[in-house]
Amino acid sequence: NSTAASLSGEIPSLRPDLFESAGLAYDLAYADQPTPFMRWALSAGAARAVDGLGMLVEQAAESFWVWHQHRPQTAPVIDELRSGIR
């Protein structure tokens, strides 16, 4: 999901049979709890649903690499950010 729907507590208009049994739902939004899209996807049959915090951090790490030729460890950053948004 790359729409702004999750930011307003909504989900995009999607078919309820969209997910296969091993399907992954990815929401670019992130919060201290699963987004409405993530909750909907799991109830619609997705095997897993994740938010966009990891993508945000990984994109920042790639930018850091471009400017400094050093790739930071991202797992500790993600953990720290997760603890700060709870």
Side-chain angles (χ1 to χ4, degrees):
N1 177 35
S2 61
T3 70
S6 286
L7 301 177
S8 59
E10 301 173 8
I11 59 167
S13 178
L14 298 168
R15 298 184 347 248
D17 62 343
L18 180 68
F19 294 99
E20 298 287 331
S21 62
L24 168 69
Y26 198 101
D27 196 343
L28 293 181
Y30 51 91
D32 61 345
Q33 57 189 349
T35 66
F37 174 76
M38 292 169 62
R39 289 192 304 271
W40 172 82
L42 290 170
S43 71
R48 187 168 172 222
V50 296
D51 68 16
L53 186 63
M55 182 182 288
L56 175 74
V57 172
E58 296 297 336
Q59 287 176 331
E62 287 303 308
S63 294
F64 195 86
W65 166 256
V66 168
W67 289 99
H68 302 285
Q69 289 70 54
H70 173 77
R71 187 166 280 112
Q73 296 294 316
T74 55
V77 174
I78 293 170
D79 291 343
E80 184 69 24
L81 289 172
R82 284 259 178 247
S83 68
I85 60 174
R86 291 192 176 131

